[in-house]
Structures are given as structure tokens and as C-alpha cells.
Amino acid sequence: MRSQICVLPGDGIGKEVTDQAEKVLRALEKRFGHSFELERALIGGAAIDETGGPLPERTLRACRESDAVLMGAVGGPRWDGAPWEKRPEKGLLDIRKELGLFANLRPAVIFRELAGASLLRPDIVEGGIDLLVVRELTGGVYFGEPKGRDEADGSRSAYNTMRYSEQEIARIARVGFESARKRRGRVCSVDKANVLAVSELWREVVREVAKDYPDVELSHMYVDNAAMQLVRDPTQFDVILTSNLFGDILSDEAASITGSIGLLPSASLSGSGFGLYEPVHGSAPDIEGRNQANPMAMLLSLAMMLRYSLGLEGEAKSVEEAVAAVLKQGFRTRDLAHSGETVAGCSEIGDLVAEGV
Ligand code: NAD
């Protein structure tokens, strides 16, 4: 099989971690007989320095001509004071919009070897946590119109609109159900249907879409309860399906209970299965260029790309298992190491995972 992948290293540790993903892709080529054509392009601060803007037309074209996009991270203090048009983070928002990436998938997994890193009590996480938040990314209250501010009789007020069309709800629901089919077959749809009209419609449409997925078990939960259940008993969840605002909050909550930002992957998908895959962390300028970055979030994002955009489930599993094996053998990057444990560098972890796939 031949696939075209656009690689966007970005800034800071983005380049260091995408180098490890390329290594692992080359190892997968040898092991499984695939051919991955990689095209590197600029985004973020690196693109600003070279072309004057954070998302050059050439980069967008390279993304559109690819089967999937693998991105490192953008940003850094050098560009912090610049006007918004020349900020690396603008490249992130623009690429999501330009590529129509409406579904954000964020797994929260606790590797047994790292259960001690979780912020939760050991008895809560001992069964292992493995859930996936599927968040709608381009609608809801962040984008709804009208929005703005008023002033009357010397008093200020401000407003936003939480609006979803049934088409927007149906397409994200499908992503949720399809994802559940690739996992343990359960979707928990999170809303606030006891108060919000938009959530009533959300629940109605999710139920309608569910009829096409009789093999997937559907449940509903109010968002306030979901926030509580996530810390009380996160093992009860498989796929959490939710809107932009609720997903923003719950995916960070779910991530934080795993305890380490260097381990968290993400995917942003369009309707056609096309997607952009990136670690949740930023460009970590404080450790840039020191071979100290943990590449595992990037490598787990690569596994998501293999699974969701390229349909290579076996290859995705082999990357995830190789990462788990490296942890089991006791290798830790600085962010994970306790005192007394041997610290491995970013490229060393990349080599070990590449050998292990
Ligand atoms: P950050 O995620 O870059 O770093 C936070 C802390 O976590 C730092 O101490 C860093 O060293 C550590 N860390 C992050 N990733 C790590 C890894 N893989 N291995 C080991 N340690 C890691 O967040 P920040 O410091 O708030 O932001 C730095 C820059 O990144 C900013 O310019 C910000 O705008 C940008 N940013 C970009 C993205 C993205 O590209 N998606 C996301 C968040 C932040």
C-alpha cells in the first residue's frame, strides 16, 4: 500500500518529535511492506520566518494532496508579541478551518506501567483507563451568531449563541459511533438536555443516528454529572460524544487524569476520513533542542493516523504496543522519570519504538 503523508514539524520540539514519527514510519514500511511518501511543509513560526505568514498556500496545497497530515507543534516566545496575523497559533486555527476538520478525537489512556503518574487514587485507576472524547470542533457556542456586547443605561452585557443544526449533530454523531465500532462498542452522549433547547435537539438527533448502529450501545449523561463521573469512575467510559464547549472542558479533564502531557495524542477529522494528527502538547520552548522531549504523544498520534485515515489497524496496534513495551522495559523521558530511573532521550525512545514495531 502507498500513502502520501504531509508532515508539518512546526516549531520548538515539534521537529524533534516528528523526526521520531518519520523513523517509525520507515520501520513500518520495512515490516509491513508499505510505502509512505512524506512531504514536509512549513507551519507556525517557521512558516512566518520563511514566508511572512503562519499557513502558506503551499502548505495547504500539500495537505490537500495528502491522505493525512502529521503535525508537531507551533509557537514560541519569539513570536509572542507579534500581531495576530503573524502569530503561529493563527496557523493552527486556519488549517482546521481550511481543511474542514469538524471532529476532534482525544483518547485518554493510562498505561499500567504509569498508573502512579495519574492524579487519581490508585484504586480508581488500577483497572486502567482507556476512553476517547469525540468533540464537535467547528460549531456550537464558539461560532454561533449573533454574538457581541451591548451597553444600555450605563450597564454592559454580552452574549453568545449556542446553535447546532441537525446536520452538524448527525455528522459528529456518526464519527462517535464509527469510533466506538473500532473500540469497545459503547457511546455515552453528553449534553445538558434538562436545560438547553440545543441539547434537546442534540439528544434527538443522536438517537436517530444510533438506529444505523444497532451494534453500538448508546447512553446519555448530563454534562455536570459527566464531569463528576470522569474523576469518580473513568473506567465506565468508552466513547464520550459531545459538543464543542462541553468537549473542550471534558477532554482537558480526561487528559489531566492521565497525568502526563507527553503521552496525549489527538486527531482532527473531516467527513471523508481525512485527518490531521498531532500531540496535545505545545512546542515546549523550555526544552527545545535538548533531546529531552517525550515523543510518545506524537507516536500515538501517528497510530491514530494509521487507524483512522489509512485504515491500517494492525499497524496502529503495533505502534501502540511498541510504545507500551518501551515503557514496560523501564525507559522514561525526563517528564516521566522518577528519581533513580534511567532517563532516555527523545531520539533514543524513537529508536526503541521503531525497533519494536
Ligand atoms: P507546552 O505544552 O508547550 O509545555 C508545557 C510544559 O510541558 C513545559 O514545561 C514543557 O516542557 C512540557 N512538555 C510539553 N510537551 C512535552 C513533551 N513532549 N515532553 C516533555 N515535556 C513536555 O505548553 P506551553 O508552555 O503553554 O506553550 C508553549 C508554546 O506552545 C506556546 O507558544 C503555545 O502557544 C504553544 N502551543 C501550541 C500547541 C499546538 O501546537 N497544538 C498547543 C499548546 C501550546
Side-chain angles (χ1 to χ4, degrees), residues 13 73-76 89 92 261 278 281-287 293-294 335:
I13 62 167
V74 302
E89 294 79 2
L92 270 187
I261 193 160
E278 58 178 319
H281 63 72
S283 58
D286 52 333
I287 55 168
N294 184 348
D335 54 311

Side-chain angles (χ1 to χ4, degrees), residues 156-177:
R156 290 166 297 170
S157 60
Y159 51 94
N160 292 87
T161 302
M162 189 186 271
R163 183 189 295 275
Y164 270 113
S165 70
E166 61 174 297
Q167 289 80 8
E168 284 175 310
I169 301 168
R171 68 177 184 176
I172 190 70
R174 289 192 186 284
V175 174
F177 286 108

Side-chain angles (χ1 to χ4, degrees), residues 292-306:
Q292 285 176 0
N294 184 348
M296 288 181 174
M298 179 82 245
L299 299 177
L300 296 170
S301 303
L302 167 66
M304 291 185 86
M305 180 191 84
L306 295 163

Side-chain angles (χ1 to χ4, degrees), residues 120 124 221-234 236-237 250 253 257:
L120 297 182
I124 297 177
M221 197 179 275
Y222 298 136
V223 62
D224 40 351
N225 187 25
M228 189 173 66
Q229 294 299 330
L230 263 175
V231 285
R232 212 187 62 85
D233 177 18
Q236 70 186 283
F237 295 107
L250 292 181
E253 186 189 353
I257 63 178

